[in-house]
Amino acid sequence: MRIAIIGPGAVGTTIAHALQQTLTDVTLLGRSNKEMHITPANQTVQAYNIDEMKTPFDAIIIAVKTHQLRDLIPKLHRLSHNETIFILAQNGYGLLSQLPFKHIYQAVVYISAQKSDNKVVHFRDYRLHLQQDVHTRKLKQLFDNTKIEIVLEDDIEEKIWYKLLVNLGINSITALGKNTAQILKIKEVETLCRALLDEGYKVAQAEGIVFPDTIIDEIMNIYAGYPDLMGTSMYYDVINQQPLEIEAIQGFIYRKAKEHGVHTPHLDTVYALLLSHQSLAYN
Ligand code: NAP
Protein backbone atom coordinates (compact mmCIF):
# COMPACT_ATOMS: atom_id res chain seq x y z
CA MET A 1 0.00 0.00 0.00
CA ARG A 2 1.39 3.41 -0.99
CA ILE A 3 0.77 5.85 1.84
CA ALA A 4 1.09 9.64 1.80
CA ILE A 5 0.97 11.92 4.80
CA ILE A 6 0.19 15.50 3.81
CA GLY A 7 1.36 18.27 6.15
CA PRO A 8 4.89 18.09 7.52
CA GLY A 9 3.86 19.66 10.82
CA ALA A 10 3.58 18.33 14.37
CA VAL A 11 1.05 15.57 13.67
CA GLY A 12 2.06 14.75 10.07
CA THR A 13 5.78 14.43 10.77
CA THR A 14 5.08 12.30 13.85
CA ILE A 15 2.86 9.92 11.87
CA ALA A 16 5.25 9.74 8.90
CA HIS A 17 8.25 9.08 11.13
CA ALA A 18 6.46 6.38 13.12
CA LEU A 19 5.22 4.59 9.97
CA GLN A 20 8.55 4.81 8.15
CA GLN A 21 10.23 2.81 10.93
CA THR A 22 8.34 -0.28 9.74
CA LEU A 23 6.57 0.34 6.41
CA THR A 24 8.46 0.82 3.17
CA ASP A 25 6.20 3.06 1.08
CA VAL A 26 5.35 6.06 3.23
CA THR A 27 5.89 9.58 1.84
CA LEU A 28 5.57 12.87 3.71
CA LEU A 29 4.33 15.70 1.47
CA GLY A 30 4.50 19.42 2.13
CA ARG A 31 4.46 22.76 0.36
CA SER A 32 8.18 22.44 -0.41
CA ASN A 33 11.04 19.95 -0.22
CA LYS A 34 12.44 20.10 3.28
CA GLU A 35 13.99 18.00 5.98
CA MET A 36 12.04 17.82 9.23
CA HIS A 37 13.90 17.02 12.43
CA ILE A 38 12.00 15.06 15.05
CA THR A 39 12.82 14.66 18.73
CA PRO A 40 13.18 12.78 21.04
CA ALA A 41 13.99 10.27 18.25
CA ASN A 42 16.61 12.76 17.02
CA GLN A 43 16.10 11.76 13.38
CA THR A 44 15.14 13.46 10.17
CA VAL A 45 12.13 12.89 7.96
CA GLN A 46 12.25 14.08 4.35
CA ALA A 47 9.21 16.03 3.19
CA TYR A 48 8.64 16.27 -0.57
CA ASN A 49 7.01 19.07 -2.51
CA ILE A 50 3.42 18.00 -3.14
CA ASP A 51 3.36 19.79 -6.51
CA GLU A 52 6.19 17.61 -7.81
CA MET A 53 4.53 14.34 -6.82
CA LYS A 54 2.97 12.64 -9.82
CA THR A 55 1.98 9.09 -8.83
CA PRO A 56 -1.20 8.25 -6.89
CA PHE A 57 -1.40 6.84 -3.35
CA ASP A 58 -3.67 4.16 -1.88
CA ALA A 59 -4.08 5.92 1.46
CA ILE A 60 -3.68 9.63 2.19
CA ILE A 61 -3.56 10.96 5.74
CA ILE A 62 -4.19 14.70 5.78
CA ALA A 63 -2.60 16.53 8.70
CA VAL A 64 -2.84 20.17 7.65
CA LYS A 65 -4.73 22.58 9.90
CA THR A 66 -8.46 22.76 9.20
CA HIS A 67 -8.27 26.22 7.58
CA GLN A 68 -5.51 24.94 5.26
CA LEU A 69 -7.62 22.16 3.77
CA ARG A 70 -9.45 24.15 1.12
CA ASP A 71 -6.26 25.06 -0.82
CA LEU A 72 -5.16 21.44 -0.71
CA ILE A 73 -8.30 19.79 -2.12
CA PRO A 74 -7.68 20.49 -5.87
CA LYS A 75 -4.31 18.74 -5.58
CA LEU A 76 -5.79 15.57 -4.09
CA HIS A 77 -7.29 14.35 -7.38
CA ARG A 78 -3.84 13.99 -8.94
CA LEU A 79 -2.56 12.10 -5.89
CA SER A 80 -5.38 9.58 -5.65
CA HIS A 81 -7.30 6.92 -7.57
CA ASN A 82 -10.88 5.75 -7.29
CA GLU A 83 -10.30 3.54 -4.24
CA THR A 84 -7.90 5.77 -2.28
CA ILE A 85 -8.69 6.03 1.42
CA PHE A 86 -8.58 9.61 2.80
CA ILE A 87 -8.16 10.25 6.50
CA LEU A 88 -8.53 13.71 7.99
CA ALA A 89 -6.16 13.74 10.97
CA GLN A 90 -7.38 17.04 12.35
CA ASN A 91 -9.22 18.48 15.31
CA GLY A 92 -12.75 19.75 14.82
CA TYR A 93 -15.42 18.45 12.48
CA GLY A 94 -17.53 19.34 9.50
CA LEU A 95 -14.93 19.27 6.73
CA LEU A 96 -15.47 15.76 5.36
CA SER A 97 -18.17 17.03 3.03
CA GLN A 98 -15.55 19.18 1.28
CA LEU A 99 -13.69 16.06 0.12
CA PRO A 100 -15.23 14.83 -3.15
CA PHE A 101 -13.97 11.26 -2.76
CA LYS A 102 -15.47 7.83 -2.13
CA HIS A 103 -13.64 6.66 1.01
CA ILE A 104 -13.28 9.54 3.49
CA TYR A 105 -12.82 9.31 7.26
CA GLN A 106 -12.54 11.76 10.12
CA ALA A 107 -9.90 10.61 12.59
CA VAL A 108 -9.94 11.63 16.22
CA VAL A 109 -6.30 12.41 16.85
CA TYR A 110 -4.55 11.64 20.12
CA ILE A 111 -0.99 12.69 19.30
CA SER A 112 0.68 15.46 21.22
CA ALA A 113 3.45 17.26 19.38
CA GLN A 114 4.61 20.75 18.46
CA LYS A 115 6.32 22.21 15.41
CA SER A 116 8.66 25.16 15.29
CA ASP A 117 10.31 25.89 11.92
CA ASN A 118 11.63 22.52 10.71
CA LYS A 119 11.68 20.94 14.15
CA VAL A 120 8.98 18.75 15.64
CA VAL A 121 8.90 17.70 19.26
CA HIS A 122 6.73 14.68 19.97
CA PHE A 123 5.45 14.71 23.57
CA ARG A 124 3.10 11.74 23.84
CA ASP A 125 0.60 9.36 22.20
CA TYR A 126 0.37 7.90 18.68
CA ARG A 127 -3.35 7.14 18.49
CA LEU A 128 -5.97 7.63 15.77
CA HIS A 129 -9.62 6.65 16.28
CA LEU A 130 -11.51 5.75 13.10
CA GLN A 131 -14.94 4.48 12.14
CA GLN A 132 -14.78 0.72 11.73
CA ASP A 133 -15.37 -0.72 8.25
CA VAL A 134 -13.66 -2.95 5.72
CA HIS A 135 -11.18 -0.22 4.64
CA THR A 136 -10.17 0.96 8.09
CA ARG A 137 -9.78 -2.64 9.26
CA LYS A 138 -7.28 -3.16 6.43
CA LEU A 139 -5.41 -0.02 7.42
CA LYS A 140 -5.35 -1.05 11.07
CA GLN A 141 -3.92 -4.42 10.09
CA LEU A 142 -1.17 -2.69 8.14
CA PHE A 143 -0.39 -0.28 11.01
CA ASP A 144 -0.47 -3.00 13.67
CA ASN A 145 3.30 -3.43 13.50
CA THR A 146 3.97 0.31 13.71
CA LYS A 147 3.84 2.79 16.57
CA ILE A 148 0.63 4.30 15.17
CA GLU A 149 -2.25 2.75 17.05
CA ILE A 150 -5.55 2.69 15.18
CA VAL A 151 -8.59 2.28 17.40
CA LEU A 152 -11.66 1.23 15.42
CA GLU A 153 -14.98 2.59 16.65
CA ASP A 154 -18.52 1.34 16.12
CA ASP A 155 -19.72 4.94 16.39
CA ILE A 156 -17.02 7.50 15.64
CA GLU A 157 -19.47 10.41 16.05
CA GLU A 158 -19.39 10.01 19.82
CA LYS A 159 -15.57 10.15 19.91
CA ILE A 160 -15.57 13.16 17.59
CA TRP A 161 -18.04 15.03 19.80
CA TYR A 162 -16.14 14.13 22.95
CA LYS A 163 -12.95 15.66 21.52
CA LEU A 164 -14.96 18.64 20.23
CA LEU A 165 -16.18 19.31 23.78
CA VAL A 166 -12.68 18.90 25.25
CA ASN A 167 -11.38 21.41 22.68
CA LEU A 168 -14.35 23.76 23.10
CA GLY A 169 -13.70 24.45 26.77
CA ILE A 170 -9.95 24.70 27.12
CA ASN A 171 -9.12 26.07 23.65
CA SER A 172 -11.66 28.88 23.94
CA ILE A 173 -10.60 30.13 27.36
CA THR A 174 -6.84 29.80 26.84
CA ALA A 175 -7.03 31.53 23.44
CA LEU A 176 -9.26 34.40 24.54
CA GLY A 177 -7.62 34.68 27.97
CA LYS A 178 -4.12 34.52 26.40
CA ASN A 179 -3.15 32.30 29.30
CA THR A 180 -2.11 28.67 29.74
CA ALA A 181 -4.03 25.97 31.64
CA GLN A 182 -3.47 27.86 34.90
CA ILE A 183 -6.29 30.19 33.73
CA LEU A 184 -8.72 27.68 35.24
CA LYS A 185 -7.59 28.70 38.73
CA ILE A 186 -9.58 31.89 38.21
CA LYS A 187 -13.01 30.98 39.57
CA GLU A 188 -14.91 33.10 37.03
CA VAL A 189 -13.04 31.49 34.13
CA GLU A 190 -13.77 28.05 35.51
CA THR A 191 -17.47 28.98 35.62
CA LEU A 192 -17.31 30.19 32.02
CA CYS A 193 -15.56 26.99 30.95
CA ARG A 194 -18.25 24.85 32.59
CA ALA A 195 -20.97 26.92 30.95
CA LEU A 196 -19.35 26.39 27.53
CA LEU A 197 -19.12 22.65 28.13
CA ASP A 198 -22.74 22.56 29.25
CA GLU A 199 -23.85 24.26 26.05
CA GLY A 200 -21.66 21.97 23.93
CA TYR A 201 -23.17 18.97 25.75
CA LYS A 202 -26.67 20.19 24.90
CA VAL A 203 -25.78 20.66 21.23
CA ALA A 204 -24.28 17.16 21.15
CA GLN A 205 -27.50 15.83 22.67
CA ALA A 206 -29.53 17.61 19.98
CA GLU A 207 -27.30 15.85 17.42
CA GLY A 208 -28.27 12.52 18.97
CA ILE A 209 -25.02 11.96 20.86
CA VAL A 210 -25.71 10.45 24.26
CA PHE A 211 -23.11 11.32 26.89
CA PRO A 212 -23.49 10.57 30.61
CA ASP A 213 -24.48 13.66 32.59
CA THR A 214 -21.14 13.39 34.42
CA ILE A 215 -19.29 14.35 31.26
CA ILE A 216 -18.72 17.98 32.24
CA ASP A 217 -17.10 17.02 35.56
CA GLU A 218 -15.10 14.38 33.71
CA ILE A 219 -13.71 16.93 31.22
CA MET A 220 -13.07 19.52 33.96
CA ASN A 221 -11.07 16.78 35.75
CA ILE A 222 -9.00 16.22 32.62
CA TYR A 223 -8.24 19.96 32.48
CA ALA A 224 -7.34 19.93 36.18
CA GLY A 225 -4.60 17.39 35.38
CA TYR A 226 -2.94 19.71 32.83
CA PRO A 227 0.33 21.30 33.93
CA ASP A 228 -0.14 25.01 34.77
CA LEU A 229 2.03 26.18 31.89
CA MET A 230 0.56 23.91 29.25
CA GLY A 231 -0.92 25.82 26.34
CA THR A 232 -3.45 24.59 23.80
CA SER A 233 -3.05 24.70 20.02
CA MET A 234 -5.44 27.68 19.86
CA TYR A 235 -3.53 29.46 22.63
CA TYR A 236 -0.24 29.03 20.71
CA ASP A 237 -1.91 30.14 17.48
CA VAL A 238 -3.05 33.36 19.20
CA ILE A 239 0.38 33.99 20.74
CA ASN A 240 2.13 33.29 17.41
CA GLN A 241 -0.42 35.32 15.45
CA GLN A 242 -1.42 32.31 13.37
CA PRO A 243 -4.93 31.72 12.00
CA LEU A 244 -7.14 29.77 14.41
CA GLU A 245 -9.14 26.59 13.78
CA ILE A 246 -12.30 28.34 14.98
CA GLU A 247 -14.64 27.28 12.20
CA ALA A 248 -14.02 23.56 12.71
CA ILE A 249 -14.46 23.72 16.51
CA GLN A 250 -16.47 26.63 18.00
CA GLY A 251 -17.99 27.58 14.61
CA PHE A 252 -19.08 24.02 13.91
CA ILE A 253 -20.81 23.67 17.30
CA TYR A 254 -22.30 27.19 16.94
CA ARG A 255 -23.85 26.31 13.57
CA LYS A 256 -25.20 23.03 14.95
CA ALA A 257 -26.73 24.94 17.88
CA LYS A 258 -28.51 27.31 15.48
CA GLU A 259 -29.67 24.37 13.34
CA HIS A 260 -31.27 22.68 16.38
CA GLY A 261 -32.46 25.87 18.11
CA VAL A 262 -30.27 25.25 21.18
CA HIS A 263 -29.71 28.40 23.30
CA THR A 264 -25.93 28.91 23.63
CA PRO A 265 -25.23 32.46 24.90
CA HIS A 266 -21.70 31.69 26.16
CA LEU A 267 -20.69 29.92 22.96
CA ASP A 268 -22.19 32.76 20.87
CA THR A 269 -20.09 35.29 22.78
CA VAL A 270 -16.89 33.25 22.65
CA TYR A 271 -17.31 32.52 18.93
CA ALA A 272 -17.94 36.20 18.15
CA LEU A 273 -14.87 37.31 20.14
CA LEU A 274 -12.67 34.69 18.48
CA LEU A 275 -13.86 35.88 15.07
CA SER A 276 -13.05 39.43 16.08
CA HIS A 277 -9.55 38.38 17.16
CA GLN A 278 -9.04 36.58 13.87
CA SER A 279 -10.23 39.53 11.79
CA LEU A 280 -7.89 41.97 13.55
CA ALA A 281 -4.88 39.68 13.40
CA TYR A 282 -5.06 38.51 9.80
CA ASN A 283 -6.98 41.01 7.69
P1 NAP B 1 1.10 22.19 12.06
O1 NAP B 1 2.23 21.78 12.93
O2 NAP B 1 0.85 23.63 11.80
O3 NAP B 1 1.25 21.42 10.68
C1 NAP B 1 0.48 21.67 9.55
C2 NAP B 1 1.38 21.41 8.38
O4 NAP B 1 0.60 21.41 7.20
C3 NAP B 1 2.47 22.47 8.18
O5 NAP B 1 3.72 21.82 8.06
C4 NAP B 1 2.07 23.13 6.87
O6 NAP B 1 3.14 23.51 6.05
C5 NAP B 1 1.37 22.00 6.18
N1 NAP B 1 0.51 22.46 5.08
C6 NAP B 1 -0.37 23.47 5.09
N2 NAP B 1 -0.97 23.59 3.90
C7 NAP B 1 -0.43 22.62 3.12
C8 NAP B 1 -0.63 22.23 1.76
N3 NAP B 1 -1.49 22.86 0.97
N4 NAP B 1 0.10 21.20 1.28
C9 NAP B 1 0.99 20.55 2.06
N5 NAP B 1 1.24 20.87 3.35
C10 NAP B 1 0.52 21.89 3.87
O7 NAP B 1 -0.29 21.61 12.63
P2 NAP B 1 -0.49 20.34 13.61
O8 NAP B 1 -0.28 20.77 15.01
O9 NAP B 1 0.25 19.19 13.07
O10 NAP B 1 -2.06 20.12 13.44
C11 NAP B 1 -2.65 19.38 12.37
C12 NAP B 1 -4.07 19.05 12.79
O11 NAP B 1 -4.01 18.13 13.90
C13 NAP B 1 -4.86 20.26 13.33
O12 NAP B 1 -6.21 20.15 12.98
C14 NAP B 1 -4.69 20.17 14.84
O13 NAP B 1 -5.74 20.78 15.55
C15 NAP B 1 -4.72 18.67 15.02
N6 NAP B 1 -4.09 18.18 16.26
C16 NAP B 1 -2.87 18.61 16.61
C17 NAP B 1 -2.28 18.10 17.78
C18 NAP B 1 -0.89 18.52 18.21
O14 NAP B 1 -0.45 18.11 19.30
N7 NAP B 1 -0.15 19.29 17.43
C19 NAP B 1 -2.97 17.16 18.56
C20 NAP B 1 -4.22 16.72 18.13
C21 NAP B 1 -4.78 17.24 16.97
P3 NAP B 1 4.16 24.71 6.35
O15 NAP B 1 5.19 24.04 7.24
O16 NAP B 1 4.65 25.04 4.99
O17 NAP B 1 3.37 25.77 7.02
Side-chain angles (χ1 to χ4, degrees), residues 6-12 29-31 34 50 63-66 68 71-72 75 89-91 109-115 163 233 245:
I6 304 181
V11 168
L29 299 175
R31 291 194 265 218
K34 60 180 169 184
I50 193 165
V64 303
K65 292 233 169 154
T66 50
Q68 296 169 326
D71 288 346
L72 177 62
K75 302 180 183 186
Q90 300 177 315
N91 276 334
V109 182
Y110 287 95
I111 288 172
S112 173
Q114 209 173 330
K115 173 183 87 112
K163 186 90 191 275
S233 55
E245 296 185 290

Side-chain angles (χ1 to χ4, degrees), residues 162 194 197 201 211-221:
Y162 184 81
R194 273 186 180 277
L197 289 178
Y201 168 67
F211 286 125
D213 54 12
T214 50
I215 188 162
I216 294 167
D217 285 334
E218 198 184 298
I219 295 176
M220 291 303 290
N221 268 336

Side-chain angles (χ1 to χ4, degrees), residues 163-205:
K163 186 90 191 275
L164 272 172
L165 294 193
V166 172
N167 284 330
L168 170 66
I170 196 76
N171 274 288
S172 302
I173 59 166
T174 54
L176 284 175
K178 293 198 177 74
N179 198 347
T180 55
Q182 66 194 350
I183 196 171
L184 277 170
K185 289 183 176 158
I186 302 166
K187 190 74 202 137
E188 290 77 1
V189 176
E190 200 215 320
T191 306
L192 167 63
C193 189
R194 273 186 180 277
L196 277 172
L197 289 178
D198 184 55
E199 291 176 2
Y201 168 67
K202 289 186 174 124
V203 180
Q205 235 173 1

Side-chain angles (χ1 to χ4, degrees), residues 237-264:
D237 286 340
V238 164
I239 299 297
N240 298 325
Q241 301 250 304
Q242 295 298 315
L244 314 176
E245 296 185 290
I246 310 169
E247 291 308 337
I249 301 174
Q250 291 87 352
F252 175 75
I253 304 171
Y254 172 88
R255 285 185 290 278
K256 284 291 172 192
K258 299 296 162 244
E259 201 178 304
H260 294 292
V262 180
H263 185 52
T264 54

Side-chain angles (χ1 to χ4, degrees), residues 20-251:
Q20 283 174 352
Q21 304 308 299
T22 316
L23 304 178
T24 48
D25 203 340
V26 176
T27 309
L28 179 61
L29 299 175
R31 291 194 265 218
S32 59
N33 289 312
K34 60 180 169 184
E35 228 171 46
M36 298 301 296
H37 185 260
I38 183 161
T39 53
N42 195 22
Q43 289 178 338
T44 55
V45 186
Q46 180 65 44
Y48 296 92
N49 187 336
I50 193 165
D51 295 324
E52 292 169 7
M53 193 53 62
K54 301 279 182 266
T55 45
F57 292 88
D58 305 307
I60 298 181
I61 300 175
I62 300 175
V64 303
K65 292 233 169 154
T66 50
H67 49 78
Q68 296 169 326
L69 183 65
R70 192 201 299 248
D71 288 346
L72 177 62
I73 291 173
K75 302 180 183 186
L76 295 175
H77 295 278
R78 184 171 40 85
L79 297 175
S80 61
H81 52 73
N82 219 14
E83 295 301 320
T84 298
I85 299 167
F86 288 88
I87 292 174
L88 279 186
Q90 300 177 315
N91 276 334
Y93 200 27
L95 298 182
L96 278 184
S97 59
Q98 292 186 16
L99 292 179
F101 302 103
K102 202 160 132 196
H103 307 301
I104 50 173
Y105 300 88
Q106 177 71 52
V108 182
V109 182
Y110 287 95
I111 288 172
S112 173
Q114 209 173 330
K115 173 183 87 112
S116 157
D117 301 322
N118 287 7
K119 295 188 176 65
V120 167
V121 183
H122 174 254
F123 301 115
R124 49 184 274 195
D125 302 329
Y126 289 97
R127 208 164 75 247
L128 300 176
H129 293 249
L130 288 171
Q131 177 62 43
Q132 149 144 257
D133 74 6
V134 61
H135 303 291
T136 54
R137 273 198 292 276
K138 205 165 124 193
L139 204 66
K140 178 178 163 53
Q141 229 172 27
L142 185 69
F143 286 11
D144 265 351
N145 293 325
T146 77
K147 272 192 185 163
I148 300 296
E149 182 193 359
I150 293 195
V151 180
L152 295 178
E153 302 289 345
D154 292 332
D155 180 11
I156 193 68
E157 294 285 318
E158 188 188 317
K159 291 283 168 200
I160 291 171
W161 273 92
Y162 184 81
K163 186 90 191 275
L164 272 172
L165 294 193
V166 172
N167 284 330
L168 170 66
I170 196 76
N171 274 288
S172 302
I173 59 166
T174 54
L176 284 175
K178 293 198 177 74
N179 198 347
T180 55
Q182 66 194 350
I183 196 171
L184 277 170
K185 289 183 176 158
I186 302 166
K187 190 74 202 137
E188 290 77 1
V189 176
E190 200 215 320
T191 306
L192 167 63
C193 189
R194 273 186 180 277
L196 277 172
L197 289 178
D198 184 55
E199 291 176 2
Y201 168 67
K202 289 186 174 124
V203 180
Q205 235 173 1
E207 274 282 286
I209 311 292
V210 185
F211 286 125
D213 54 12
T214 50
I215 188 162
I216 294 167
D217 285 334
E218 198 184 298
I219 295 176
M220 291 303 290
N221 268 336
I222 295 174
Y223 297 159
Y226 290 165
D228 277 359
L229 296 182
M230 195 192 94
T232 61
S233 55
M234 212 169 266
Y235 162 81
Y236 287 114
D237 286 340
V238 164
I239 299 297
N240 298 325
Q241 301 250 304
Q242 295 298 315
L244 314 176
E245 296 185 290
I246 310 169
E247 291 308 337
I249 301 174
Q250 291 87 352

